[in-house]
Amino acid sequence: MVIGLGRFGSALALELVSRGTEVLGIDNRPKVVQLMVGRIPHVITADTTDIEALRQLGVAEFHRAVVAIGTDIQASILTTSLLSELGIADIWAKAISDQHGNILTRVGAHHVVAPEHDMGERVAHLLSGRILDYVEVDADFAVIKTKPPRDVVGVPLRESRLRSRWGVTVVAVKPQAALAGRQPTFTYATPDTVLSYGDLILVVGAVDNVERFAAAE
Ligand code: ADP
C-alpha cells in the first residue's frame, strides 16, 4: 500500500508495479488518483487520516505500507499512527525533517526515509572529485562508482595495495571496451583483475577513504 501519490509516492508505486508487486495506491485528491488510473492497477481516493475509511479499505490485511505524505505533516503523522493501531507489520514513512522523522518513529513507523535530505547529501558527493555514483550503506561506509587512478592501472589488484594505501576494496569492474563483441557489464573483481584506463569500478570503504581514493590522480 502506498499512501500519498505525489512525486515520491507515485514514482515508488510505479516502480513496484513494474517489478510485479501488487500495489494499492491511495491519495485524497481525486485528480491525483485519476492520473494514476491504468498505471497503478489498484488506485483509490481516500483520506487516510480517517480510521473508518482505512477500515473500509481493508487496510489491516496489508502487511506493508509506505506513507509517502510529506508536506502535510499532520496527515503524515496521523496516517502512520492509525496504520500502527491497525497492526500493519511493516510501516515505512517519508520524513521532511529530523523532527518529523523522530515523531514518525514514535507513532509506529518501522522505517523512516528522508529522500530530499539523502539526495542532497548524495549529490554533494557526486559534485566532488570523480565519483560517478554514491550510495551510503551506513553513516560512515559507502559504495562508489568511479574510474581507477593512474597508479592502480595495469597491475593486478593484489599488487595495488588498495587496502593499505587507501583503506578501500574494489569489488566490481566494468571494462571500458566491449569484450568479444559483448556489451560490457559489471563483474566481480578478483586479486588477478587488471584495471585499464576508463574502466568503471565499484569501490567500498569508509566515506573518507573512498573520497580520498576517488580524488587520487
Ligand atoms: P511529494 O513531495 O513526494 O510530491 P507531497 O507531500 O507533496 O509529496 O505529496 C503527498 C501526496 O499525499 C499528495 O498527492 C497529497 O494529495 C497526498 N495526501 C495528503 N494528505 C493526505 C491524506 N490525508 N490522505 C491521503 N493522501 C493524502
Side-chain angles (χ1 to χ4, degrees):
M1 176 169 42
V2 178
I3 297 173
L5 301 172
R7 287 161 301 178
F8 175 76
S10 61
L12 172 76
L14 291 169
E15 181 65 20
L16 289 170
V17 169
S18 78
R19 290 164 46 160
T21 308
E22 260 203 78
V23 176
L24 170 66
I26 308 174
D27 201 289
N28 66 344
R29 288 187 295 166
K31 265 192 187 159
V32 171
V33 169
Q34 202 52 44
L35 278 174
M36 289 297 141
V37 171
R39 301 177 69 198
I40 302 172
H42 310 282
V43 61
I44 199 150
T45 308
D47 177 359
T48 55
T49 61
D50 175 357
I51 194 149
E52 276 317 310
L54 291 179
R55 287 213 173 96
Q56 275 174 21
L57 289 172
V59 154
E61 306 295 313
F62 287 77
H63 65 272
R64 181 169 292 149
V66 182
V67 182
I69 305 171
T71 319
D72 186 343
I73 295 189
Q74 188 175 327
S76 140
I77 294 168
L78 237 126
T79 299
T80 305
S81 75
L82 292 180
L83 294 177
S84 176
E85 205 175 310
L86 289 169
I88 308 282
D90 195 22
I91 304 171
W92 293 68
K94 168 181 131 161
I96 57 170
S97 67
D98 286 349
Q99 295 96 317
H100 184 196
N102 287 339
I103 297 170
L104 290 171
T105 305
R106 265 186 247 149
V107 298
H110 305 102
H111 309 269
V112 172
V113 293
E116 284 95 349
H117 174 267
D118 293 353
M119 187 52 87
E121 274 191 359
R122 200 162 153 242
V123 171
H125 290 282
L126 300 185
L127 290 174
S128 65
R130 270 200 322 263
I131 300 181
L132 302 168
D133 212 344
Y134 177 94
V135 179
E136 209 160 275
V137 284
D138 214 340
D140 59 357
F141 203 82
V143 183
I144 62 162
K145 182 166 87 178
T146 187
K147 291 186 176 175
R150 196 174 310 154
D151 61 357
V152 305
V153 163
V155 287
L157 283 175
R158 73 154 64 77
E159 286 169 29
S160 356
R161 298 184 298 117
L162 291 172
R163 293 212 187 115
S164 56
R165 286 163 72 200
W166 284 290
V168 301
T169 306
V170 172
V171 290
V173 185
K174 181 171 169 178
Q176 181 196 31
L179 288 173
R182 270 185 292 157
Q183 271 308 100
T185 52
F186 272 106
T187 48
Y188 57 85
T190 72
D192 299 323
T193 300
V194 178
L195 303 176
S196 309
Y197 282 114
D199 285 353
L200 290 176
I201 52 177
L202 296 186
V203 180
V204 302
V207 170
D208 291 349
N209 291 345
V210 293
E211 285 199 328
R212 242 171 3 100
F213 177 76
E217 285 299 319

